[in-house]
Structure formats: C-alpha cells, structure tokens
Amino acid sequence: MSPKRSSRGNIPPFIVMDVMREANRLEANGDAVVHMEVGQPGTGAPAGVTNALHDIMKKDHMGYTDAFGIPALRYRIAQHYFETYGLDVAADNVVVTTGSSGAFVLSFLASFDLGDRVALASPGYPAYRNILIALGINVIDIQTDSSTNFQPTRPVLEQKLADIGGPIQGLIVASPSNPAGTMLTNDELCDLVAFCNRHSIRLISDEIYHGITYGEAAQTALAFGRDVVVINSFSKYFSMTGWRLGWMILPNNLIRSVECLGQNLFISPPTISQHAGMLAFDCKDELEANVARYSVNRELLLRELPRAGFNRLAPADGAFYIYADISELTNDSADFCHRMLAETGVAATPGTDFDLGRGHRFMRFSFSRSEAEIALATQLLINWQR
Ligand SMILES: Cc1ncc(COP(=O)(O)O)c(C=O)c1O
C-alpha cells in the first residue's frame, strides 16, 4: 500500500488555469488563440520598472529581506493609501507578500481556526474557497445575483446568517469583484464593515482591482474601520502578474502572528520583485494608459457581444471581466467554452470556476489584452456558427 494522500489536498482545480493550459497547447501547435480566459494584462511591467532593474541588480545581491518586506517599500505602500484614499496608514501595518495569493494563506491562517466558518459570495474568485477548504475552514456560500450587483450586501449576509442559524468568523469581499466586475457602493461597504465589527466577524477585503474602474473610484474598506484585513497586489493595476508580489494592511492584533507565519512559510517575498514594486508607483502614466485600454475593450464588448448572442451581461463597473449569463445558449458552460476555443480560437472561462451551483449557465470573458485582440475575438464570436 502506498503512503496516504491528504484529504486537504483534495480541492477542485483552478479551472481558468486548466483552460489556459489547453489554450497554450493549441498555440504551441500553431493554432491562433485569443486569450480571454485569464485575468492577466496583455502588457508587461511598466518600462520605468524594467529599465531600472539592471542597475539595481548590480547594486543589491538579492538576498532575503525582512519577512514583512523591504522597509522602504512598506513606507511607499503606506504613502499610496494617503495619495489614493487620503488615509493615514502606518508602515508597521503593511506586509509585503508573495502576490495576493500569499496574503490569503497568511491572513486566513492568522484569522481562522480549523472548523471556523467564513462566508463569501458566489460567484466569486475560486481560490478563496479552495484555499479555505485546504486549510480546514468551512466555506459559507452566499449566492448573489444581479439584484444585488453580485455582491454580498449586509441584508444578504444577515439573511444568510439567519438561514444557517449561527455565527460566522469571517467574510471575504472583493469590490470590484471577479468574475462580475461589480462594486459595492461606499454605503454598502461601510454597512458591511460596521456589521462585521458589531458581530466580531473578521472582514477580509480583496482590493486587487482598485485602480481599474470605469465610473467612481473604489473606496478601501480601511476608510470605514481599522479592524479589517485589506489585501492588494501588483498583478492587476500594476500589470506585474508573474512578479508574484502583493501586500496586506493588517489590524494591530494580527501583526505578530502573520510575521511568524510569513517567516516560516515564505521567509520573505521575492526581493527583485520588491525593488520592481517600489518603482512601479512612479509609472502612473503608463498604468493609466492600460486602464484607458481596458475601458475601450469594455465598451467594445458591451456593444458587440450581444451581436454574437451574449445578451445578458453584468455591467463590469471595474476589473477587466464580463460575466455573461448564457442560459439561453447552453446548460453546460464547460462544454460551451471548450467548443468555443476549438471552433473559434477564443478562450474564455466557464462559470463553474466561480459558482459551483449555477456556473454551468455562465461564462467569463477577460478583456485585459490588447484592443486588436479583443476586436478580433469579437469578430470571431460574431461569425461563429454554433
Ligand atoms: C479577485 C482576485 N484576487 C486575487 C487574485 C490573485 O492575484 P495574485 O496574482 O496577486 O496572487 C486574482 C487573480 O486573478 C483575483 O482575480
């Protein structure tokens, strides 16, 4: 008999990564593929970052840093909160992490015990659920829909608590969200923060899509209370997915345990990426040009996707996704996306990645690539003889 395999490793795949692997395989075989599956900017890191790195590498031997990151970067991130939201954040509360993904592991471990209950919206980013399950934390699904903009507002949360008949220890929100790109209003976010404070629920606010909005700018949960965990990343607005760099703003009572967890799990975030992150804050012009491109792509898709038969689209207030209700086209979004990739070369993600119960009737288009690619994909979809 072979040695055992843990049940904690028995989690669902991150489907978008499976779709990307298939799209990459087709591309390697010489097929043309338009990548609308993965939430990854078509651009690389800003030129101001890449141009300066060679010199930095000559000066710094790229050893480990403090577990919480290079102090100058922690100060720079704290300053970002003043510049962007007018808030004073102490550098001591800033933790640099290995992507926001690393921040999820650290904050979930520091905040929750085995068997605790953490609520999150469905549809939602699949890794929240899958990491929580791997850590032995119970996931409470809050089914959301277009009536609350796919967000778990306070009344929706209260109803859920009444239904399950008991307390929860945590709530994860993302505004703008993935996959719907929808946002909580400031009042709704404030209401949720106050409710979580009153009920000793740890609110974790994933703010990774801040900076990529098409109407009002997103507000940070920190504006409404300091007992929240705020998570952000260099992957989306800063266009640096593969650098694997993110950050958290922690409440005081989590600082030491996150430090001990970080020291043991990761030692420190990648040093070269931390230098890059510091430079990225000075590349606003290039980064804002990226957002302008997403905005053009968004308008094109909202206008043209209905011509391809995709009529029921979430409004995409922010991020770079359009979540489409395709129940008029299929009852099996995985098969639909598979056929779409094979027959048109356009890769997109089935809703089953984001919503276990209803995702078979939805799919997500990412519009983070170039305008030319998105225009081509639109044409291919309009011409697709399903
Ligand atoms: C909502 C959300 N949070 C977190 C992540 C992970 O990002 P990172 O590259 O910072 O680990 C993603 C990636 O798509 C995301 O959509």
Side-chain angles (χ1 to χ4, degrees):
M1 203 168 71
S2 48
K4 71 169 264 191
R5 190 163 54 93
S6 93
S7 57
R8 276 173 303 149
N10 208 7
I11 57 171
F14 190 176
I15 294 174
V16 70
M17 301 305 286
D18 282 354
V19 177
M20 189 172 83
R21 192 188 52 218
E22 174 64 5
N24 288 343
R25 190 188 64 76
L26 290 174
E27 238 172 2
N29 284 346
D31 293 347
V33 171
V34 187
H35 290 276
M36 296 181 79
E37 77 285 28
V38 69
Q40 156 154 273
T43 47
V49 170
T50 47
N51 292 344
L53 276 180
H54 187 70
D55 282 346
I56 290 174
M57 282 171 73
K58 281 195 274 185
K59 287 187 217 136
D60 186 314
H61 70 294
M62 301 296 156
Y64 295 133
T65 68
D66 290 352
F68 274 172
I70 296 172
L73 176 59
R74 297 174 67 201
Y75 278 106
R76 186 64 192 86
I77 292 170
Q79 195 187 336
H80 169 73
Y81 280 82
F82 188 73
E83 290 165 2
T84 311
Y85 311 100
L87 291 179
D88 282 323
V89 168
D92 285 347
N93 295 77
V94 178
V95 177
V96 183
T97 57
T98 308
S100 66
S101 305
F104 296 143
V105 175
L106 290 171
S107 62
F108 296 172
L109 279 169
S111 303
F112 309 121
D113 283 312
L114 269 181
D116 275 353
R117 303 203 286 191
V118 175
L120 41 77
S122 197
Y125 180 60
Y128 305 142
R129 147 191 299 283
N130 296 338
I131 296 171
L132 288 167
I133 294 171
L135 296 178
I137 298 159
N138 294 320
V139 174
I140 305 294
D141 252 321
I142 305 179
Q143 294 221 340
T144 62
D145 56 32
S146 52
S147 68
T148 59
N149 225 3
F150 293 99
Q151 288 288 353
T153 55
R154 194 261 312 147
V156 175
L157 175 63
E158 261 186 315
Q159 181 58 52
K160 186 72 194 183
L161 294 184
D163 291 347
I164 62 172
I168 56 171
Q169 286 69 43
L171 171 71
I172 302 174
V173 294
S175 171
S177 71
N178 176 5
T182 51
M183 289 165 69
L184 289 159
T185 64
N186 287 355
D187 286 348
E188 286 169 339
L189 183 56
C190 180
D191 200 12
L192 272 177
V193 172
F195 182 83
C196 288
N197 275 346
R198 277 201 303 283
H199 295 272
S200 305
I201 298 168
R202 174 72 69 198
L203 179 74
I204 299 183
S205 177
D206 180 358
E207 302 187 351
I208 189 169
Y209 292 106
H210 280 210
I212 308 176
T213 53
Y214 307 106
E216 259 191 52
Q219 179 58 285
T220 173
L222 282 173
F224 305 115
R226 294 303 175 107
D227 240 345
V228 299
V229 174
V230 161
I231 295 180
N232 207 322
S233 169
F234 288 88
S235 289
K236 309 295 174 169
Y237 176 73
F238 294 94
S239 191
M240 293 169 60
T241 46
W243 298 77
R244 309 308 306 128
L245 198 68
W247 74 82
M248 276 190 283
I249 311 298
L250 288 178
N252 292 337
N253 72 342
L254 291 185
I255 291 178
R256 184 60 181 153
S257 50
V258 168
E259 186 168 34
C260 296
L261 286 161
Q263 289 167 344
N264 284 285
L265 285 174
F266 302 111
I267 300 189
S268 61
T271 305
I272 179 104
S273 303
Q274 295 189 59
H275 285 287
M278 218 141 27
L279 296 164
F281 283 106
D282 298 326
C283 300
K284 284 279 154 69
D285 289 350
E286 194 174 334
L287 298 172
E288 287 301 319
N290 290 346
V291 178
R293 194 182 66 250
Y294 306 144
S295 175
V296 171
N297 288 346
R298 169 184 175 273
E299 276 177 28
L300 179 83
L301 287 179
L302 288 175
R303 192 177 63 240
E304 299 293 324
L305 278 178
R307 291 184 56 211
F310 301 97
N311 295 307
R312 298 160 75 179
L313 310 173
D317 306 319
F320 30 54
Y321 306 113
I322 288 184
Y323 200 50
D325 178 342
I326 52 170
S327 46
E328 287 168 357
L329 305 174
T330 185
N331 199 24
D332 183 349
S333 57
D335 173 67
F336 187 88
C337 290
H338 190 71
R339 275 194 298 118
M340 195 174 91
L341 175 59
E343 294 170 21
T344 69
V346 178
T349 305
T352 41
D353 215 10
F354 314 102
D355 185 340
L356 298 178
R358 299 164 298 168
H360 58 286
R361 294 190 280 109
F362 289 83
M363 66 188 289
R364 187 196 74 175
F365 294 97
S366 166
F367 53 85
S368 54
R369 306 290 286 230
S370 71
E371 288 171 39
E373 283 170 287
I374 301 304
L376 171 64
T378 312
Q379 211 45 57
L380 291 167
L381 292 177
I382 290 171
N383 295 342
W384 185 23
Q385 307 285 327
R386 290 193 287 270

